[in-house]
């Protein structure tokens, strides 16, 4: 079998790596994503791409357990970035860090602030409602609120075609029904999550559901 090959320009390689870091992050490969981010940050990049990578680096640090370091990086960026949408994305990631640090009140306040901002896009809104769902469980023990928040998050993610996030919400909804003792319903949602994860190659979430 013969394969076609062609040389890539350095700009093409950089662009491919730029796309890969987001794929790795979405697959929860936080350490590998951060390694590639650091490699890209050593190159000459335009300001917008550098900002995107720094935001993602903060998120990767949080995801890999370096929560304070990630939170500090994101807080530093908030005052340096003028783009409103990116500021809201940063705030959502800070809210995630507060949640991971068990600072539920702070996380909830940030999420509500973002939700009330009409500039927030659907991905950021999905993130906020997902966090509020988790807070409803762990702080308030309010399973009804948790379901409502996860369902809202799922709708926002569906609208943007973020099916790896839809799969996560299906899993979360299944978990809530399981806590409520509705085991058959929980199984239905877990199976939906597994089907989506299998179709998009989300091996991490798929493994957790098996």
């Amino acid at each position: 079998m013969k394969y076609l090959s062609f040389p890539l320009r350095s700009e093409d390689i950089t662009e491919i790596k730029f796309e890969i870091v987001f794929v790795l992050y979405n697959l929860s490969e936080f350490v590998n994503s951060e390694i590639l981010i650091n490699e890209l940050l050593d190159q000459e990049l335009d300001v917008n791409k550098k900002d995107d990578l720094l935001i993602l680096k903060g998120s990767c640090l949080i995801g890999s357990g370096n929560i304070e370091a990630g939170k500090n990086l994101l807080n530093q960026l908030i005052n340096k970035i003028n783009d409103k949408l990116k500021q809201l994305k940063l705030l959502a990631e800070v809210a995630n860090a507060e949640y991971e640090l068990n600072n539920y009140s702070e996380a909830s306040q940030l999420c509500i602030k973002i939700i009330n901002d009409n500039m927030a896009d659907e991905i950021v809104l999905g993130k906020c409602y997902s966090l509020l769902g988790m807070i409803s469980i762990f702080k308030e023990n309010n399973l009804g609120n948790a379901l409502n928040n996860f369902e809202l998050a799922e709708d926002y993610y569906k609208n943007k075609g973020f099916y790896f996030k839809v799969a996560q919400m299906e899993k979360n909804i299944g978990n809530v029904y399981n806590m409520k003792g509705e085991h058959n319903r929980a199984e239905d949602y877990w199976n939906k999550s597994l089907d989506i994860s299998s179709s998009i190659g989300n091996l991490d979430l798929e493994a957790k559901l098996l």
Side-chain angles (χ1 to χ4, degrees):
M1 183 179 291
K2 294 182 178 180
Y3 296 93
L4 294 174
S5 62
F6 55 91
L8 291 172
R9 298 174 304 162
S10 60
E11 296 89 346
D12 296 327
I13 294 172
T14 297
E15 191 62 34
I16 291 168
K17 288 181 178 179
F18 187 80
E19 297 296 329
I20 288 173
V21 295
F22 287 93
V23 173
L24 290 171
Y25 173 78
N26 289 331
L27 293 174
S28 300
E29 293 283 344
F30 304 119
V31 173
N32 289 330
S33 182
E34 188 193 348
I35 290 170
L36 195 51
I37 287 168
N38 289 333
E39 182 181 319
L40 287 169
L41 287 172
D42 285 336
Q43 301 178 23
E44 289 293 328
L45 300 170
D46 67 61
V47 174
N48 288 329
K49 283 194 173 182
K50 186 172 183 180
D51 288 344
D52 288 341
L53 288 174
L54 287 170
I55 293 170
L56 194 63
K57 179 175 180 176
S59 300
C60 286
L61 287 167
I62 293 166
S64 63
N66 297 314
I67 302 170
E68 286 289 357
K71 178 183 165 183
N72 290 338
L73 174 58
L74 294 172
N75 277 323
Q76 290 170 20
L77 292 170
I78 288 173
N79 296 324
K80 295 179 180 178
I81 292 176
N82 296 320
D83 186 294
K84 180 66 173 179
L85 289 176
K86 287 184 180 179
Q87 286 178 345
L88 291 170
K89 182 179 179 181
L90 278 164
L91 284 176
E93 294 302 324
V94 172
N96 182 49
E98 297 290 7
Y99 165 77
E100 294 291 346
L101 293 167
N102 299 324
N103 298 329
Y104 298 137
S105 294
E106 290 85 347
S108 181
Q109 288 170 11
L110 283 171
C111 286
I112 291 168
K113 178 181 178 180
I114 295 165
I115 289 167
N116 289 332
D117 194 312
N118 58 15
M119 288 290 291
D121 68 12
E122 290 180 303
I123 297 171
V124 170
L125 289 171
K127 177 97 172 181
C128 289
Y129 279 111
S130 175
L131 286 171
L132 289 175
M134 300 302 288
I135 292 166
S136 295
I137 295 171
F138 292 110
K139 182 189 177 187
E140 302 161 5
N141 195 29
N142 189 326
L143 299 181
N145 274 353
L147 272 178
N148 289 337
N149 285 318
F150 289 142
E151 286 168 354
L152 284 167
E154 182 180 11
D155 287 342
Y156 282 119
Y157 287 137
K158 275 183 180 175
N159 289 341
K160 295 298 288 185
F162 266 42
Y163 290 106
F164 57 93
K165 289 293 187 183
V166 172
Q168 289 176 3
M169 294 308 103
E170 294 277 3
K171 178 176 77 77
N172 289 348
I173 292 169
N175 290 344
V176 174
Y177 278 120
N178 191 50
M179 292 180 215
K180 288 164 69 72
E182 299 183 42
H183 305 301
N184 289 336
R185 214 163 175 188
E187 191 83 19
D188 288 341
Y189 277 96
W190 289 335
N191 286 333
K192 288 180 190 175
S193 179
L194 181 59
D195 289 343
I196 296 169
S197 297
S198 299
S199 69
I200 62 176
N202 190 342
L203 300 179
D204 180 65
L205 185 58
E206 187 178 347
K208 290 175 182 176
L209 286 162
L210 291 175

